[in-house]
C-alpha cells in the first residue's frame, strides 16, 4: 500500500467566504448599494438576500470552524458597508460589525484572512466606470488605508480577490455587470488599473509599518495546448499571457516583460484595438514587487486551448447542464473540453495535476514570491440532502486529488503554507444562485440551519493529522 502523503505541521487549513456571497443584509445598517443589487433584480434571478445570513449567523459559523479544526477564515470587508458611496462619510455601524466578527474569531482561536475588494465596488463608483476610472483607484487606496488603521486586530490582508475574473467577467465574457462582451481594451485597462491599485495599497501598508502581512489573491488557471500543432501551442501561450503572466509580471516584476507585451499587443491587434499604460505607474509597481508577503491562488480548473481566429463566441454555463460551455476569443484561442477527463456539471475540467504544474512554475518564474496560500479550491456540486445527512464523496475525491498534488509541490520545494476550501458553508454564487453548492456545511436557505457534510469530517481529520487520507 502506498504511504499517505503528509502536510507540514504548520500548514493552515482554512475556509473561504466573501462578504456579498455570505452576509445578506444587503441594505441593512447603512450599507450602500452595489451594482449586483439592481442587476440581479433586473435579471429576475435569485438575490443575495439573505444568502447564508453571515451578518447574523457569524457566531455559529465561527464556532463551526473551531469544532471542525478549521483554523483560519478567509473573508472580505464589504466596501459599501464602510463607505456607502465608496468614499466620504464612514458608516460606523459597518465598522462596528466587522470589529464584532474579528472579536468572535479571536475568541475561538480563528485567524481571519481579510480581502479588501471582492467583486463589490460601491455602486456610486461602479456607475462612474469602476476601475476603468482612475479616480476609483484613489478611493480604493484611501479605503484600504482606513482598514489598515481601523482594524488592527487583522494580521493577514489581501488587496483584491481575482483581478482577472473581475475584469474579464465585466468586459470579456459579460457574465457580470455591466455585461460587456469581447472588449479587450477595457479588459486589459481594468486589469492594469487594479494591479496598480494593489501596488499602491501594498506600499502604503509597508511604509506605514503596520503589523501583519499583505498579498493579493489571483485566480490562476494553467493553459495547455490542445495538440502539438504550432498554432495550438501559440494559442495556449496567448491565453496564458493574458490570464497568468500579465498579472504575475505586474505582481512580482512590477512591469510587463517584453514577451508578455508582445502577446498582449498581438491579442489587441487581432481585435483592432490598443491600450495605453502610464509608464509612471511602474514606479509604484516596481516598489511593491518585492513587498508582497504572500500570493493567494484560487484554482479550480485547467484549460486546453486550440487556435481560433473567427469572431468571439461565448456561452457561460450557469445552469449546471453539462456540455453547454463555449469559450472562443478572437485572436487568442478556443478552450476545448477533454472527454478523457472528468468535469463538473458546470463544465469545469477536474485536473488536480494542474495545480502542481502551476506551483512549480511560479517558484521557477517568480522566485521572489515568498510564500503561497491556496485561497480557493473546491467542488461545486448539486448536494443531496437526506434527512440531515449529506454524503459528498465526489467532493472528498476532488479534495484528495488536489491535496496530494499540493503536497507533491511542497516536496518539490514550493513554499505553500495553507489551504482555504471554497467554501466554508454553502453560499450565494454570482452567476449560479443557490443550486451550485461548495460548502463543507450544508445551508438550508429557508431556515439558515447548518449541517456538516461528510467532507467536513474528512477535512477535520486532515487538519488534525496533517495526513491526506
Amino acid at each position: 500500500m502506498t504511504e499517505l502523503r503528509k502536510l507540514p505541521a504548520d500548514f493552515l487549513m482554512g475556509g473561504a467566504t466573501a462578504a456579498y456571497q455570505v452576509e445578506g443584509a444587503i441594505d441593512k445598517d447603512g450599507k450602500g448599494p452595489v451594482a449586483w443589487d439592481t442587476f440581479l433584480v433586473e435579471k429576475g434571478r435569485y438575490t443575495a438576500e439573505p444568502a447564508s445570513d453571515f451578518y447574523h449567523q457569524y457566531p455559529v459559523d465561527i464556532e463551526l470552524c473551531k469544532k471542525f479544526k478549521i483554523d483560519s477564515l478567509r473573508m472580505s470587508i464589504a466596501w459599501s458597508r464602510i463607505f456607502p458611496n465608496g468614499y466620504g462619510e464612514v458608516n460606523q455601524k459597518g465598522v462596528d460589525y466587522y470589529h464584532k466578527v474579528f472579536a468572535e474569531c479571536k475568541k475561538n482561536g480563528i485567524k481571519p484572512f481579510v480581502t479588501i475588494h471582492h467583486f463589490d465596488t460601491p455602486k456610486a463608483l461602479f456607475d462612474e466606470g469602476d476601475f476603468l476610472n482612475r479616480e476609483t483607484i484613489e478611493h480604493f487606496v484611501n479605503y484600504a488605508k482606513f482598514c489598515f488603521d481601523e482594524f488592527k486586530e487583522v494580521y493577514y490582508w489581501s488587496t483584491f480577490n481575482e483581478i482577472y475574473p473581475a475584469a474579464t467577467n465585466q468586459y470579456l465574457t459579460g457574465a457580470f455587470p455591466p455585461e460587456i462582451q469581447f472588449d479587450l481594451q477595457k479588459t486589459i485597462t481594468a486589469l492594469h488599473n487594479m494591479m496598480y491599485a494593489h501596488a499602491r495599497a501594498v506600499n502604503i501598508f509597508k511604509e506605514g509599518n503596520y503589523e501583519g502581512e499583505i498579498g493579493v489573491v489571483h485566480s490562476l488557471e494553467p493553459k495547455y495546448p490542445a495538440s502539438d500543432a504550432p498554432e495550438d501551442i501559440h494559442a495556449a501561450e496567448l491565453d496564458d499571457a493574458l490570464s497568468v503572466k500579465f498579472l504575475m509580471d505586474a505582481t512580482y516584476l512590477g512591469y510587463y516583460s517584453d514577451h508578455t507585451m508582445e502577446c498582449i499587443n498581438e491579442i489587441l491587434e487581432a481585435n483592432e484595438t490598443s491600450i495605453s499604460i502610464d509608464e509612471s505607474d511602474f514606479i509604484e509597481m516596481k516598489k511593491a514587487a518585492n513587498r508582497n508577503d504572500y500570493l493567494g491562488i484560487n484554482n479550480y480548473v485547467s484549460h486546453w486551448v486550440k487556435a481560433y481566429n473567427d469572431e468571439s463566441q461565448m456561452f457561460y454555463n450557469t445552469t449546471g447542464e453539462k456540455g453547454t460551455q463555449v469559450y472562443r476569443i478572437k485572436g487568442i484561442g478556443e478552450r476545448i473540453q477533454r472527454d478523457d477527463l472528468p468535469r463538473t456539471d458546470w463544465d469545469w475540467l477536474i485536473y488536480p495535476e494542474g495545480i502542481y504544474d502551476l506551483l512549480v512554475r511560479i517558484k521557477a518564474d517568480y522566485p521572489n514570491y515568498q510564500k503561497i496560500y491556496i485561497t480557493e479550491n473546491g467542488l461545486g456540486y448539486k448536494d443531496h440532502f437526506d434527512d440531515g445527512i449529506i454524503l459528498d464523496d465526489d467532493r472528498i475525491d476532488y479534495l484528495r486529488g488536489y491535496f496530494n498534488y499540493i503536497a507533491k509541490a511542497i516536496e518539490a520545494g514550493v513554499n505553500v503554507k495553507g489551504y482555504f476550501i471554497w467554501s466554508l458553508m454553502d453560499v450565494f454564487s454570482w452567476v449560479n444562485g443557490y443550486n451550485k453548492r461548495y460548502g463543507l456545511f450544508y445551508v438550508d436557505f429557508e431556515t439558515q440551519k447548518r449541517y456538516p457534510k461528510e467532507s467536513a469530517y474528512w477535512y477535520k481529520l486532515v487538519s488534525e493529522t496533517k495526513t491526506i487520507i
Side-chain angles (χ1 to χ4, degrees):
M1 182 181 156
T2 9
E3 201 179 322
L4 297 174
R5 275 205 159 91
K6 300 280 283 188
L7 294 163
D10 63 350
F11 191 86
L12 291 182
M13 293 283 288
T17 66
Y20 197 75
Q21 294 180 265
V22 297
E23 284 179 1
I26 58 175
D27 56 1
K28 302 287 187 298
D29 292 337
K31 183 182 190 288
V34 299
W36 289 99
D37 298 340
T38 44
F39 175 75
L40 293 170
V41 170
E42 284 162 10
K43 290 284 161 195
R45 293 184 192 167
Y46 35 77
T47 73
E49 183 65 61
S52 320
D53 194 33
F54 185 76
Y55 194 73
H56 301 104
Q57 304 283 341
Y58 69 88
V60 174
D61 292 318
I62 292 168
E63 193 182 3
L64 281 171
C65 288
K66 184 181 180 180
K67 280 183 181 168
F68 281 81
K69 299 293 184 283
I70 296 161
D71 50 35
S72 37
L73 173 63
R74 184 169 172 246
M75 57 173 287
S76 67
I77 290 175
W79 185 350
S80 68
R81 248 189 232 296
I82 307 296
F83 293 101
N85 293 310
Y87 61 95
E89 202 174 328
V90 173
N91 175 34
Q92 192 58 42
K93 282 184 176 175
V95 173
D96 294 344
Y97 166 69
Y98 289 109
H99 279 303
K100 286 188 285 192
V101 174
F102 300 141
E104 197 70 23
C105 285
K106 188 175 182 182
K107 187 175 97 180
N108 287 277
I110 310 298
K111 297 180 179 72
F113 276 63
V114 179
T115 307
I116 300 168
H117 184 280
H118 193 126
F119 298 169
D120 59 353
T121 304
K123 194 170 189 312
L125 298 180
F126 183 91
D127 290 347
E128 293 298 318
D130 202 6
F131 278 92
L132 295 175
N133 183 344
R134 299 280 290 196
E135 283 180 24
T136 303
I137 297 171
E138 301 307 316
H139 296 313
F140 170 79
V141 169
N142 293 335
Y143 155 56
K145 185 177 187 306
F146 175 88
C147 289
F148 303 151
D149 287 330
E150 178 67 33
F151 300 113
K152 292 283 199 286
E153 59 271 64
V154 174
Y155 187 87
Y156 297 98
W157 291 101
S158 167
T159 53
F160 285 90
N161 174 75
E162 296 193 344
I163 287 171
Y164 182 76
T168 54
N169 284 327
Q170 285 180 273
Y171 308 117
L172 185 65
T173 71
F176 285 11
E179 291 189 294
I180 292 169
Q181 282 196 320
F182 315 136
D183 191 326
L184 273 304
Q185 190 267 339
K186 281 187 170 69
T187 301
I188 294 166
T189 301
L191 289 175
H192 170 75
N193 285 350
M194 282 187 269
M195 283 310 314
Y196 173 59
H198 157 75
R200 292 269 306 276
V202 166
N203 290 334
I204 283 168
F205 188 82
K206 289 298 177 183
E207 286 158 21
N209 290 314
Y210 295 97
E211 191 189 355
E213 298 187 5
I214 192 164
V216 63
V217 170
H218 286 314
S219 169
L220 302 176
E221 299 169 347
K223 307 294 184 294
Y224 303 96
S227 77
D228 293 336
E231 59 270 29
D232 289 351
I233 291 169
H234 187 55
E237 183 183 30
L238 291 172
D239 199 343
D240 181 79
L242 179 63
S243 65
V244 178
K245 287 189 68 144
F246 192 79
L247 298 153
M248 293 298 289
D249 283 4
T251 309
Y252 286 109
L253 304 180
Y255 60 91
Y256 307 107
S257 70
D258 291 345
H259 176 262
T260 298
M261 283 316 297
E262 281 165 21
C263 292
I264 295 297
N265 286 325
E266 184 183 332
I267 293 166
L268 287 164
E269 281 164 27
N271 287 274
E272 297 169 357
T273 189
S274 62
I275 53 158
S276 67
I277 291 172
D278 185 339
E279 294 287 320
S280 67
D281 290 355
F282 297 132
I283 297 167
E284 289 278 346
M285 289 168 68
K286 283 175 186 169
K287 212 190 293 179
N290 288 311
R291 288 173 159 179
N292 296 284
D293 294 302
Y294 68 89
L295 169 67
I297 296 178
N298 294 357
N299 175 269
Y300 297 91
V301 68
S302 299
H303 298 290
W304 277 260
V305 187
K306 72 174 187 182
Y308 180 80
N309 296 306
D310 290 332
E311 293 306 307
S312 296
Q313 294 180 335
M314 181 73 59
F315 183 81
Y316 200 91
N317 178 351
T318 62
T319 59
E321 192 182 324
K322 244 184 206 178
T324 55
Q325 185 99 333
V326 174
Y327 187 102
R328 302 180 182 118
I329 302 296
K330 182 182 182 180
I332 302 180
E334 175 181 1
R335 294 177 183 174
I336 63 160
Q337 291 295 353
R338 276 187 53 179
D339 293 334
D340 59 327
L341 288 179
R343 63 177 186 247
T344 73
D345 289 337
W346 286 266
D347 290 320
W348 294 16
L349 289 171
I350 298 172
Y351 186 71
E353 293 97 316
I355 206 162
Y356 173 81
D357 293 344
L358 179 67
L359 289 167
V360 170
R361 171 194 175 179
I362 288 166
K363 180 178 186 287
D365 291 358
Y366 302 96
N368 59 331
Y369 74 96
Q370 295 200 45
K371 61 182 172 183
I372 291 169
Y373 293 98
I374 306 302
T375 37
E376 282 183 32
N377 171 251
L379 179 65
Y381 194 59
K382 296 167 185 168
D383 285 313
H384 183 63
F385 182 90
D386 184 10
D387 197 23
I389 306 293
I390 306 99
L391 301 177
D392 55 345
D393 293 317
D394 287 359
R395 182 171 288 113
I396 293 169
D397 288 344
Y398 178 100
L399 295 173
R400 188 182 292 118
Y402 270 89
F403 270 106
N404 273 308
Y405 277 100
I406 291 163
K408 189 180 173 192
I410 293 169
E411 288 161 19
V414 186
N415 190 24
V416 187
K417 299 301 284 183
Y419 175 98
F420 294 77
I421 188 169
W422 185 267
S423 48
L424 177 66
M425 73 298 253
D426 292 336
V427 304
F428 160 79
S429 166
W430 307 97
V431 292
N432 298 290
Y434 294 98
N435 72 340
K436 188 182 192 182
R437 293 174 179 268
Y438 278 96
L440 288 175
F441 303 104
Y442 187 97
V443 177
D444 178 334
F445 290 108
E446 295 296 313
T447 65
Q448 289 298 333
K449 188 165 162 46
R450 275 67 167 143
Y451 300 85
K453 301 177 190 177
E454 185 185 8
S455 56
Y457 293 97
W458 180 88
Y459 202 76
K460 178 176 184 278
L461 202 53
V462 174
S463 181
E464 283 171 334
T465 63
K466 297 294 187 279
T467 303
I468 301 159
I469 53 166

